[in-house]
Amino acid sequence: MQNAKLLQRRTLVKLLAALPLVVSMDTFSVVEKNENDAFICCVAEALIPGALKIQPSKLLKDLVKVGWLGLTENSIAVVKHSLDSFKGNKYSELTLAQQRAVLSEFDECCYNSPDKLESQHWLLLKNGLLSLYFSSEIGASGTLSYHPVPGQWRPDISIAEATPAMYNDWLAVWFT
Amino acid sequence: MKNDYDAIVVGSGISGGWAAKELTERGLTVLMVERGPAVEHRVDYKNEMKSPWEMPFKGFNNPEMLAADYAVQSKGTNFDEWSMHHFVKDSDHPYQTTLEKPFQWRRGYQLGGRSLTWGRQCYRWSDIDFSANAKDGYGTDWPVRYADLKPWYDHVESFIGVNGTKEELIQLPDGIFQPHMPLSAIEQLLADRIASSYDDRRLIPGRSANLTLPKEGRAPCQYRYICHRGCSFGAYFSTQSSTLPAARKTGRLTLLTDTIVEKVNYDPTAKKVSGISCINAITGKREQFTSKIVFLNASAFNSVGILLRSQNDTFPNGLANSSGTLGKYIMDHATTLSVAASIDELNDRSYFGNRPSNFIIPRFRNINTASEQFLRGYSYQGVGFRANWKRGAHEAGTGEKLKNKLSKQGEWRLLMVAFAESLPVASNRIRLADKKDKWGLPLLDISLKHGDNEHKLLKDAAQQARAMLGLTKSEILASFDEPENAGSAVHEMGGARMGSDARTSVVNKWNQTHDIPNLFITDGAAMSSSANQNPSLTYMAFTARAAAYAANKVKNGQL
Ligand SMILES: Cc1cc2nc3c(=O)[nH]c(=O)nc-3n(C[C@H](O)[C@H](O)[C@H](O)COP(=O)(O)OP(=O)(O)OC[C@H]3O[C@@H](n4cnc5c(N)ncnc54)[C@H](O)[C@@H]3O)c2cc1C
Ligand code: SF4
């Protein structure tokens, strides 16, 4: 197919499947636990203001043990190492405003160089934190509009009526 | 519990539920035997009402467990953290599949079978489908035509409740419909553009077994789209919501769960089946039951497996297999995502609710004109929707700006999945493997490879899908033209095909085996071709029709 975007689905799947292999090859030491917790909380809050309320480090602790959404302790260690050295200062010791600015720049760099190891790990962590937040009661019922029972199907309404976004997005179907 | 019945029905899924309902309502005492555990309507839908934050893995599951226990089941729609217990544990129910592209056998072993998890799309087959084998010589001619099934489609649709629109298409006969679930704004836009650019095709609302009007103890759909968890409103058709209550109401149904049918017993003197031999799935205890007739509804490949396991001196190659075709000519629609696109139109429009259905573009190839490239055809099922918060991980952005953006709906997206007809060929087959499961029963060895015709159909489907999306201001995100692994359509069928010649087919036009008059196979095993439509409505119609025939014969003392 001519269009470069038309990647065969199998190729995509293979790329994703290869990811844990890349991850296990690097040798970052496991960071000290409390420091790790503080780091997760800082990153989560800079990524989604208000995320601290869902206690992201507590929630993630057990989830990463099983590689939830492809996320491992190693991913967190790689991102921590990258962010700590990104501007020469330890990330969790920056002010919140500085953390937001640094994360924004780092995030941008990762999307510009998606093949880099730290980019791959950041995308996993970002996806994990977004998923944690929007699956939490605060994120789903608050920021979004979780309707377990929408009760009706209105096929064509004004976009102004359709925000916040979600009615119930946890559908086990291929298109979400 | 007594051991003798008028009829035994093996399996309690979509077709077994229908067999039990029809046979009991026609006055027969019925034993319905189900290998999996009981799942009672409402009370056992344990995750139905749970929000994501109440789930241990927030709805995204434990990948270690998936890899260990659900390697096959997790690779498809309707499987998630809420519904995983409605699918088999692959680790407990292995099978063999020999090709480089393994067959993906998705199953649910519980009361209700896959009626709990199915996608509910319901389409009639037409005479184009029932005469396809005769026309091009693949497979054996169906001994029935649309006129034979039409009253039974009417009967089934009236009972289960199917929503849809009347379209007067020769390739997709209209049915008895409840009011349809309308197209979303973006789907309607594409439908209009297709209508003004093509004479041969149409984008129409899907036809699904979700109620839009209340019906006998069942409430209309609440637009949640979490049907695979089980629905306490009873708003979609399942054994639990519909056929089981009807069968129970007669007082003539005995239900046995956690009981695996090992084989169907044959009496060589009477030249009839006498009943079944079972294994208690929990205790391993063996038991036998007798009956005047046996209906096999264990799902296409499992019914074939039971017959292969039931070989005896009279039928050394499998029960009712004098033709030698048992286990052969298996099929599954060749399917793939023909196109996924983002659409930059109607940016001021949206929708509310989760419609548990989709749109379809019925088959348009080889209807009025004949293609020189391929036989038969394909249809699309698709959906137009707005991207949700998950898009946040795919693009740069952080902080308040990201949060604000994700709290609003994303761009329009449109997907079209093609379902191409699978040709019946003898080399696609099931047989018994040497390996055994934990109950000592031989595993099934499944070999199904999509052929050249299926590949050509999906190539054309991808091209045509892109061309149709080209009628909108869209960007193509993905487009595939190779079939996914066989089995991924979850429309596996064949293996005990229907035909008028006892030398080349297993069942006759009444789903009755040619060899043994009191043995009926009315699930997907009996299919002689696959068409391109979702098949379960047709299994239900055949089952109801065969049950009426068999009940009559039993009452007249002929069986
Ligand atoms: C995710 C998904 C989406 C689908 N979407 C659609 C759709 O939109 N439209 C459509 O037409 N079809 C769809 N299907 C396919 C549909 O589910 C099947 O065609 C249908 O369920 C087949 O009915 P059945 O009665 O033959 O088998 P099942 O519903 O699978 O029931 C078979 C039953 O037999 C039991 N059983 C098996 N072996 C034995 C044994 N030895 N002893 C006792 N009991 C046994 C099983 O435990 C099971 O309960 C879908 C399937 C899935 C999984
Ligand atoms: S979408 Fe409708 S049928 Fe499906 S679970 Fe919700 S109410 Fe039931």
Side-chain angles (χ1 to χ4, degrees):
Chain A
M1 252 153 274
Q2 301 87 4
N3 193 330
K5 287 202 170 181
L6 303 188
L7 271 176
Q8 278 289 327
R9 182 142 43 154
R10 221 152 295 113
T11 319
L12 280 171
V13 171
K14 270 190 205 148
L15 284 174
L16 288 175
L19 224 56
L21 211 75
V22 180
V23 172
S24 63
M25 277 174 354
D26 69 285
T27 53
F28 285 97
S29 58
V30 176
V31 278
E32 201 264 309
K33 290 287 182 244
N34 289 343
E35 210 185 298
N36 220 355
D37 290 351
F39 172 72
I40 293 286
C41 290
C42 294
V43 173
E45 185 62 25
L47 179 67
I48 322 153
L52 215 49
K53 288 200 206 114
I54 67 161
Q55 301 184 292
S57 64
K58 195 173 154 204
L59 284 177
L60 264 192
K61 205 163 278 173
D62 286 334
L63 296 177
V64 293
K65 283 187 196 143
V66 297
W68 182 74
L69 291 172
L71 195 58
T72 61
E73 284 190 356
N74 190 54
S75 291
I76 298 171
V78 173
V79 175
K80 182 174 185 313
H81 177 85
S82 308
L83 274 172
D84 281 349
S85 51
F86 191 59
K87 291 284 172 188
N89 295 85
K90 239 183 171 183
Y91 185 76
S92 21
E93 287 168 8
L94 301 172
T95 64
L96 181 59
Q98 287 169 327
Q99 285 173 354
R100 285 189 175 148
V102 166
L103 190 72
S104 167
E105 204 181 319
F106 176 71
D107 178 72
E108 191 81 43
C109 289
C110 288
Y111 282 91
N112 289 336
S113 317
D115 295 336
K116 280 189 171 169
L117 190 66
E118 65 259 36
S119 305
Q120 294 173 8
H121 288 293
W122 166 240
L123 296 197
L124 287 174
L125 181 56
K126 183 175 176 181
N127 181 43
L129 291 173
L130 288 176
S131 302
L132 262 194
Y133 179 74
F134 287 114
S135 304
S136 70
E137 191 161 6
I138 289 173
S141 296
T143 310
L144 302 177
S145 170
Y146 178 67
H147 280 290
V149 186
Q152 52 178 323
W153 167 241
R154 293 165 66 201
D156 185 8
I157 60 173
S158 152
I159 187 81
E161 286 181 75
T163 50
M166 187 182 55
Y167 310 116
N168 170 2
D169 275 339
W170 279 265
L171 314 173
V173 285
W174 30 264
F175 57 79
T176 52
Chain B
M1 188 185 163
K2 64 174 190 156
N3 278 54
D4 186 46
Y5 298 84
D6 290 331
I8 289 173
V9 173
V10 181
S12 66
I14 290 185
S15 66
W18 263 96
K21 167 187 157 358
E22 293 293 309
L23 292 168
T24 52
E25 286 181 344
R26 289 168 194 280
L28 271 54
T29 57
V30 172
L31 172 69
M32 180 157 71
V33 186
E34 166 54 51
R35 70 172 296 158
V39 176
E40 287 301 334
H41 191 40
R42 299 192 178 106
V43 286
D44 286 330
Y45 303 150
K46 60 181 186 175
N47 289 332
E48 180 189 0
M49 303 295 182
K50 285 192 184 152
S51 299
W53 56 90
E54 294 173 283
M55 302 302 290
F57 297 91
K58 316 300 163 207
F60 300 102
N61 240 317
N62 173 347
E64 283 183 356
M65 190 194 27
L66 294 192
D69 289 330
Y70 294 98
V72 174
Q73 306 309 312
S74 61
K75 289 196 190 86
T77 56
N78 294 1
F79 179 100
D80 65 14
E81 196 177 336
W82 286 269
S83 67
M84 54 195 278
H85 56 286
H86 289 161
F87 290 83
V88 298
K89 262 191 179 178
D90 293 307
S91 47
D92 284 343
H93 301 284
Y95 59 99
Q96 268 181 210
T97 174
T98 40
L99 294 168
E100 105 211 23
K101 267 184 156 189
F103 185 85
Q104 195 172 309
W105 193 18
R106 300 192 69 222
R107 293 162 288 164
Y109 290 170
Q110 66 261 324
L111 183 61
R114 289 175 294 180
S115 77
L116 285 173
T117 55
W118 71 313
R120 307 161 304 281
Q121 292 296 303
C122 286
Y123 300 99
R124 293 185 178 206
W125 288 24
S126 73
D127 269 338
I128 295 173
D129 305 307
F130 289 115
S131 59
N133 287 359
K135 197 171 159 200
D136 60 37
Y138 277 89
T140 190
D141 187 18
W142 282 93
V144 294
R145 290 293 184 264
Y146 179 65
D148 298 299
L149 271 234
K150 185 186 176 299
W152 298 100
Y153 279 131
D154 290 351
H155 178 66
V156 169
E157 284 166 348
S158 305
F159 180 77
I160 69 177
V162 177
N163 69 78
T165 48
K166 302 240 186 221
E167 302 285 343
E168 297 183 359
L169 296 167
I170 50 164
Q171 68 273 41
L172 198 70
D174 289 333
I176 296 177
F177 297 137
Q178 290 204 343
H180 68 286
M181 295 180 166
L183 299 174
S184 68
I186 204 73
E187 294 167 348
Q188 189 60 56
L189 175 128
L190 183 61
D192 295 342
R193 303 259 165 100
I194 289 173
S196 55
S197 302
Y198 294 93
D199 290 332
D200 65 348
R201 66 196 72 172
R202 212 180 285 177
L203 188 157
I204 61 172
R207 298 172 177 175
S208 77
N210 294 83
L211 299 183
T212 49
L213 296 174
K215 198 171 193 351
E216 299 103 35
R218 299 170 56 201
C221 181
Q222 303 299 308
Y223 298 98
R224 304 183 294 170
Y225 206 168
I226 51 172
C227 319
H228 50 285
R229 299 181 193 176
C231 176
S232 291
F233 296 96
Y236 76 91
F237 168 79
S238 65
T239 297
Q240 275 82 351
S241 72
S242 308
T243 43
L244 185 58
R248 277 178 166 156
K249 206 169 131 193
T250 64
R252 284 186 279 274
L253 178 76
T254 304
L255 173 64
L256 199 56
T257 51
D258 294 304
T259 305
I260 304 167
V261 174
E262 179 184 9
K263 57 182 182 176
V264 177
N265 299 323
Y266 181 68
D267 176 349
T269 318
K271 295 197 167 82
K272 283 182 179 177
V273 295
S274 54
I276 53 169
S277 296
C278 305
I279 306 172
N280 183 300
I282 297 162
T283 63
K285 193 177 151 225
R286 289 186 133 77
E287 216 173 342
Q288 296 203 347
F289 298 93
T290 54
S291 61
K292 295 192 178 90
I293 55 171
V294 172
F295 265 61
L296 285 183
N297 297 96
S299 76
F301 292 0
N302 277 316
S303 289
V304 170
I306 292 171
L307 291 171
L308 290 171
R309 287 203 296 265
S310 308
Q311 79 254 43
N312 54 43
D313 289 345
T314 317
F315 296 103
N317 299 316
L319 194 63
N321 189 21
S322 67
S323 68
T325 57
L326 183 68
K328 295 181 182 164
Y329 303 97
I330 61 169
M331 299 160 279
D332 179 47
H333 294 142
T335 183
T336 197
L337 175 66
S338 300
V339 78
S342 61
I343 304 196
D344 187 15
E345 292 195 59
L346 293 185
N347 292 321
D348 59 342
R349 307 306 297 166
S350 187
Y351 52 84
F352 179 89
N354 299 306
R355 183 193 54 190
S357 187
N358 43 249
F359 69 75
I360 62 159
I361 299 178
R363 172 177 161 183
F364 50 89
R365 292 302 199 203
N366 291 321
I367 304 283
N368 296 318
T369 53
S371 161
E372 284 174 11
Q373 293 165 39
F374 46 74
L375 301 168
R376 311 200 187 188
Y378 55 83
S379 56
Y380 303 99
Q381 298 187 10
V383 63
F385 61 101
R386 279 186 173 274
N388 66 18
W389 58 270
K390 289 178 193 162
R391 71 191 187 281
H394 303 298
E395 44 200 65
T398 61
E400 206 62 60
K401 227 170 131 187
L402 174 72
K403 191 175 168 185
N404 276 339
K405 183 171 139 186
L406 298 184
S407 72
K408 299 189 175 67
Q409 294 194 333
E411 65 191 7
W412 280 112
R413 291 189 184 156
L414 217 139
L415 305 181
M416 283 162 61
V417 174
F419 289 85
E421 179 151 4
S422 166
L423 290 179
V425 293
S427 55
N428 286 333
R429 53 89 193 131
I430 307 165
R431 60 180 170 222
L432 296 182
D434 294 332
K435 267 195 176 165
K436 304 223 158 116
D437 66 14
K438 63 181 182 190
W439 295 276
L441 303 178
L443 307 187
L444 290 192
D445 181 318
I446 304 169
S447 178
L448 203 173
K449 194 175 171 191
H450 291 307
D452 193 40
N453 198 60
E454 287 85 338
H455 281 84
K456 284 180 177 160
L457 285 167
L458 289 185
K459 273 210 160 46
D460 188 62
Q463 275 167 11
Q464 291 301 312
R466 292 198 297 272
M468 285 185 268
L469 261 295
L471 300 169
T472 64
K473 206 173 147 200
S474 55
E475 185 188 1
I476 307 286
L477 303 172
S479 173
F480 305 111
D481 57 12
E482 289 284 310
E484 304 263 342
N485 285 10
S488 54
V490 212
H491 296 157
E492 80 280 3
M493 56 184 120
R497 69 183 184 178
M498 183 183 283
S500 39
D501 188 343
R503 289 165 306 175
T504 57
S505 57
V506 179
V507 298
N508 66 18
K509 67 177 179 175
W510 299 108
N511 293 73
Q512 178 183 34
T513 60
H514 289 295
D515 292 337
I516 308 168
N518 65 339
L519 176 61
F520 293 80
I521 307 165
T522 74
D523 56 20
M527 303 304 274
S528 301
S529 69
S530 72
N532 62 84
Q533 296 92 317
N534 309 56
S536 306
L537 182 74
T538 301
Y539 304 166
M540 293 189 244
F542 270 126
T543 301
R545 179 173 175 270
Y549 172 84
N552 213 17
K553 293 267 173 206
V554 169
K555 282 194 270 182
N556 293 340
Q558 292 169 287
L559 283 178

